[in-house]
Amino acid sequence: MGRGAARVNWLVVLAALSGALAVGAGAFGAHGASGAAVEWLKTGSHYQLVHALAALVALRLEARGPAWLFLAGGALFAGTLYLMALGLPRWLGAVTPIGGTLLIAGWLWLAWIGMRG
């Protein structure tokens, strides 16, 4: 990088892309999907969008660990639902709670950071 060049904040980039993907998945669920896929896309997009925003808030609070958990958990939770909505095997639903666990861990870590002051 040259002098004065901006350093890429990959967590911000990933949070923004996560939010964009969530909006796209929600739109597809509302306008292009049918059956169980509609609910999977709706649930996945909701959780992914909320946690993309949570990651940005965590970054603002200088809490990088929870931000990573929000993004990883959101990707795993929503990603498995999206894949099932696209026709991949339903056994992927057994992986979805791992993403949810990461999301919960992110919130608990953020609470712990808040308790520390």
Side-chain angles (χ1 to χ4, degrees), residues 37 40 80-90 92:
W40 291 332
T80 55
L81 294 175
Y82 298 161
L83 291 172
M84 290 190 312
L86 293 172
L88 273 74
R90 287 190 178 203
L92 285 168

Side-chain angles (χ1 to χ4, degrees), residues 69 72-78 80 92-105:
L69 287 177
L76 192 56
F77 182 90
T80 55
L92 285 168
V95 178
T96 307
I98 297 169
T101 301
L102 294 175
L103 297 174
I104 293 167

Side-chain angles (χ1 to χ4, degrees), residues 21-81:
L21 179 60
V23 172
F28 180 62
H31 303 290
S34 62
V38 172
E39 284 304 312
W40 291 332
L41 290 164
K42 181 178 178 181
T43 300
S45 66
H46 175 80
Y47 275 78
Q48 187 175 18
L49 185 57
V50 165
H51 288 90
L53 293 172
L56 292 172
V57 170
L59 286 172
R60 183 74 174 124
L61 297 172
E62 298 182 11
R64 294 178 66 82
W68 276 113
L69 287 177
F70 291 146
L71 291 175
L76 192 56
F77 182 90
T80 55
L81 294 175

